[in-house]
Amino acid sequence: MTAPTLADLEALDAADPLATFREAFDLPPGVVYLDGNSLGALPRATAARLAEVVGRQWGSDLIRSWNTHGWIDAPQRVGDKIARLIGARTGEVVAADSTSVNLFKLLAGAASLRPGRSTLLTEPGNFPTDLYVTQGLERLLGDRLSIRVVAAEDLPGAIDEDVIAVSLTHVHYKSARRWPMAEITARAHAKGAVALWDLSHSAGALAVDLNGARADLAVGCGYKYLNGGPGAPAFLFVAERHQAEIRSPLTGWMGHADPFAFVDDYQPAAGIRRQLCGTPSILSLAALEVGVDLMLRADMAAVERKAGELSEAFIALVESRCAGLDLALASPRDAAARGAHVVFAHPQAYAIMQALIERGLIGDFRAPDLLRFGFTPLYTRYVDLFHAVETLRAVLAEVAYRDPRFRNRLSVT
Ligand SMILES: *Cc1c(COP(=O)(O)O)cnc(C)c1O
């Protein structure tokens, strides 16, 4: 694609069916925010919603709110809403815990679905928590389970009859490479394995279709594209056909068949509710629900289309405006093989990102040398790309990143 002009980008904004969603977010002036894939922006409705839940529900109605304001059903209610964004059915998703904890529950659960098998298959460079949680499970279960890490290009051929689960992140958090979900799931099924997808970088950004792909299990993040707020509850999906059989290793009381019977012996709830563990985080779920409700008003096919167009336009602009400035595209060039973010490699990526942030362009640095830019179709405008790339060009051309103040490593990058 040839690089769009500012007028081209303005025309794209004028014709954008999602353009009005931006108004629903409270974005600071003077900032181009290309980091909604790390922490989604604040929906305008969130503050009032939280004030209501804190002031009236908690403050006045107190413990009665568990019943009168549906607190007790919030994990399932919000889960059912997320289900509609990811091609799942009612009763297949709950919003609870963190992505890390949900990975633990479902990887252990997968082992309970495939007794006699011992391999959890994943790829090197998967998101750290996905690898660490699998390693932790391996230590816990000793000989019963082992992690096998196989490079992406060899992974499909490495699925054999010992594999419990193929555990992959749908859209890679660094490169944005997108796994063909239906194809890999079918390969797993052909060997009797299940497929577990981490949707952290795809839920709310792409038209994910878990049941269309026959996926077995999935987890994902609430604070990225779903705009649920910092540390928002995550979600997990168990396909209906596995729900009677799968067991959670975290047998807390909220997953009990009858939590308020207060009996001594654990009995799993029917359906997806057995994946709950402890008392739900009501304030966080309330914020997440606002983000999810907003997303539900958008057509996910339009969201995915815009994500592809934004990333295409961004790559074309960077490659034309920043030519000769040492940037190398480190994401797939084909939009169909990519998620909603783009990474460029540069040896001075850390300092460059610090300099960009100082000039109002917020993206991420990812070790060791990547500049990551995320495109959130609900609030990224096409014209934002133009200003972002002009800022990037200026920082590179002026070698502004050489200033020592950009070299101090902060604890969160
Ligand atoms: C962001 C992200 C997570 C986050 O896990 P937490 O438990 O919320 O810290 C997990 N997996 C992937 C692939 C992610 O991108």
Side-chain angles (χ1 to χ4, degrees), residues 50-402:
L50 285 184
E52 152 80 14
V53 175
V54 170
R56 195 160 85 87
Q57 298 187 5
W58 178 12
S60 300
D61 296 349
L62 289 164
I63 200 165
R64 293 168 289 187
S65 292
W66 285 105
N67 293 310
T68 56
H69 294 295
W71 285 1
I72 197 69
D73 301 319
Q76 287 148 283
R77 183 179 70 248
V78 179
D80 284 340
K81 289 179 177 183
I82 294 171
R84 290 156 55 195
L85 300 173
I86 56 176
R89 282 187 286 269
T90 299
E92 287 185 318
V93 176
V94 279
D97 303 316
S98 63
T99 305
S100 303
V101 170
N102 288 336
L103 277 164
F104 181 82
K105 292 190 286 192
L106 292 190
L107 287 167
S112 76
L113 292 176
R114 293 292 179 270
R117 295 182 176 221
S118 63
T119 304
L120 293 175
L121 185 63
T122 187
E123 64 168 318
N126 195 356
F127 190 83
T129 215
D130 299 58
L131 291 166
Y132 302 163
V133 166
T134 313
Q135 290 161 10
L137 198 58
E138 183 184 44
R139 281 180 71 95
L140 183 69
L141 296 185
D143 294 341
R144 166 77 179 80
L145 195 138
S146 62
I147 179 172
R148 205 168 144 219
V149 182
V150 177
E153 55 274 25
D154 301 323
L155 188 136
I159 306 171
D160 63 24
E161 266 88 12
D162 191 54
V163 173
I164 294 166
V166 179
S167 170
L168 295 168
T169 301
H170 181 214
V171 170
H172 196 272
Y173 76 106
K174 282 187 183 171
S175 69
R177 189 208 57 227
R178 189 194 315 191
W179 279 102
M181 186 187 283
E183 186 187 318
I184 298 298
T185 300
R187 277 192 171 251
H189 290 174
K191 300 288 180 180
V194 300
L196 189 166
W197 295 99
D198 187 330
L199 304 179
S200 291
H201 281 277
S202 38
L206 304 176
V208 176
D209 187 5
L210 287 173
N211 282 323
R214 298 278 300 153
D216 301 279
L217 307 169
V219 297
C221 197
Y223 52 80
K224 292 172 179 159
Y225 293 96
L226 298 183
N227 306 306
F235 63 86
L236 69 79
F237 158 90
V238 177
E240 211 171 78
R241 64 185 178 280
H242 294 306
Q243 288 182 0
E245 215 185 329
I246 194 168
R247 302 294 293 247
S248 170
L250 298 178
T251 50
W253 71 311
M254 285 294 151
H256 191 277
D258 190 0
F260 292 92
F262 295 103
V263 295
D264 283 356
D265 292 320
Y266 180 77
Q267 184 66 42
I272 195 71
R273 208 168 57 73
R274 68 175 57 177
Q275 297 299 332
L276 299 179
C277 181
T279 305
S281 304
I282 296 303
L283 302 182
S284 301
L285 278 165
L288 174 60
E289 191 166 15
V290 175
V292 171
D293 282 340
L294 190 52
M295 191 63 98
L296 278 169
R297 286 170 26 210
D299 167 17
M300 291 311 292
V303 167
E304 174 163 334
R305 198 176 320 116
K306 185 175 173 187
E309 287 172 3
L310 287 166
S311 58
E312 284 291 281
F314 185 79
I315 292 170
L317 277 168
V318 170
E319 291 189 335
S320 89
R321 300 291 298 158
C322 305
L325 292 171
D326 247 0
L327 290 175
L329 180 67
S331 290
R333 202 166 274 285
D334 172 13
R338 207 169 59 219
H341 64 270
V342 166
V343 282
F344 281 92
H346 188 290
Q348 299 301 324
Y350 182 81
I352 292 168
M353 186 52 74
Q354 293 307 306
L356 293 175
I357 291 170
E358 193 178 273
R359 294 184 188 204
L361 168 57
I362 302 182
D364 278 318
F365 161 76
R366 282 293 171 264
D369 62 352
L370 297 175
L371 296 158
R372 189 176 76 171
F373 302 97
F375 308 103
T376 43
L378 295 194
Y379 54 87
T380 306
R381 293 171 300 203
Y382 291 90
V383 292
D384 291 335
L385 306 178
F386 186 87
H387 301 298
V389 175
E390 287 311 289
T391 305
L392 178 60
R393 191 188 57 74
V395 162
L396 293 171
E398 296 163 19
V399 203
Y401 54 86
R402 224 181 244 157

